Amino acid sequence: VLYARGSSRNITNTGTIQARNGSTGVGGEIRIDGGEVANSGTLDVSGDGARDAGTVDVIAETLTLSDESVILANSIGGAGSVNLEASDAAMVGGLVDVSSSAFRGGEFFATGENVSVDAVVNARGASGGTIKVGGDFQGTDANGLLASKTTEIGENALFDVSATVGNAGQAIVWSDGDTLFQGEARANAEGILGNGGLIEVSGKENLTFRGIVSARSEGGKAGVVLFDPGELLVGNGLTGTNEISNQTI
């Protein structure tokens, strides 16, 4: 277990922080709590071999993960979880890996008053994991996730909750105000039996969609892609790619 709490309330990591049980190889726990928290290094709670991965919790007023940031909570065995929580702004880039080769993908949560994500988040597994950005399904707080006022998903963002064997997972993007989605979300079932997952991209007031979403299934039922905003704009009249696919909509 590693806890970092800044006396000045500001914490910056440019190196590698690893938490893993040396005798068992099980991933440990990293918790960083500060005012302004910035990471351009590596936070590693991955499981060694088939050992379970651990958890990463970053709690801040303002949170910045640069494009060089790497968070690892992946494993051949049980995947871990990553929770990023900001009371003000959360800006997330880089790579977050909560995947599992043999079991269910892990969990990734990013919340704040204003949330911006331009990262690759890998929650793939034998069955798909869970990604929730800016809030929970349809803005509910059943799981204690606070809804953002604005959520922006950048062009380089990729959210993947696909499954290699069973059912795909959930990828939720929400805000109580305006949501801009320019990235890609996948909830595909790639095996012969599993069903496609759930993708929700919504803003309670406005949603601008300029991205790609897919909830296909190779052998089972297609998944669900949900848009549920007050107003919806698909594209912007400029050259670009907008693709929505779950085999049947």
Side-chain angles (χ1 to χ4, degrees):
V1 180
L2 173 63
Y3 295 97
R5 188 182 297 268
S7 58
S8 66
R9 299 292 294 160
N10 297 333
I11 299 174
T12 299
N13 175 54
T14 60
T16 297
I17 300 174
Q18 185 180 73
R20 181 183 298 147
N21 188 303
S23 60
T24 67
V26 174
E29 178 184 354
I30 295 175
R31 181 181 175 92
I32 299 175
D33 188 344
E36 295 183 7
V37 175
N39 183 65
S40 58
T42 299
L43 307 177
D44 184 359
V45 295
S46 58
D48 186 11
R51 304 298 185 181
D52 290 348
T55 62
V56 174
D57 289 285
V58 182
I59 313 298
E61 295 171 7
T62 300
L63 170 62
T64 304
L65 273 58
S66 75
D67 292 341
E68 290 74 37
S69 173
V70 176
I71 301 179
L72 302 175
N74 59 306
S75 178
I76 296 174
S81 65
V82 174
N83 177 49
L84 307 176
E85 183 179 334
S87 58
D88 188 5
M91 295 162 284
V92 181
L95 169 67
V96 178
D97 191 345
V98 292
S99 64
S100 171
S101 300
F103 296 96
R104 184 181 183 275
E107 297 178 326
F108 171 78
F109 307 111
T111 58
E113 186 171 15
N114 299 289
V115 179
S116 175
V117 179
D118 201 23
V120 173
V121 183
N122 181 5
R124 293 171 56 87
S127 56
T130 300
I131 296 173
K132 295 181 179 180
V133 176
D136 213 327
F137 178 69
Q138 293 188 321
T140 61
D141 60 356
N143 296 309
L145 292 181
L146 298 178
S148 68
K149 289 184 178 179
T150 64
T151 297
E152 180 176 337
I153 308 302
E155 295 179 354
N156 298 313
L158 170 61
F159 301 155
D160 196 347
V161 294
S162 298
T164 57
V165 179
N167 297 329
Q170 295 184 357
I172 308 296
V173 177
W174 174 269
S175 78
D176 276 351
D178 297 338
T179 297
L180 169 62
F181 186 93
Q182 302 180 102
E184 181 176 359
R186 302 172 186 167
N188 300 321
E190 300 169 352
I192 60 174
L193 297 176
N195 300 324
L198 168 66
I199 297 174
E200 180 187 17
V201 181
S202 292
K204 189 173 184 179
E205 295 183 4
N206 299 294
L207 167 63
T208 300
F209 180 85
R210 300 171 186 157
I212 299 172
V213 290
S214 175
R216 296 189 297 265
S217 174
E218 294 298 322
K221 296 180 180 179
V224 175
V225 176
L226 173 64
F227 301 99
D228 189 24
E231 294 187 9
L232 170 63
L233 170 64
V234 178
N236 62 351
L238 302 177
T239 300
T241 299
N242 302 286
E243 181 179 335
I244 304 168
S245 175
N246 68 342
Q247 294 179 340
T248 59
I249 297 180

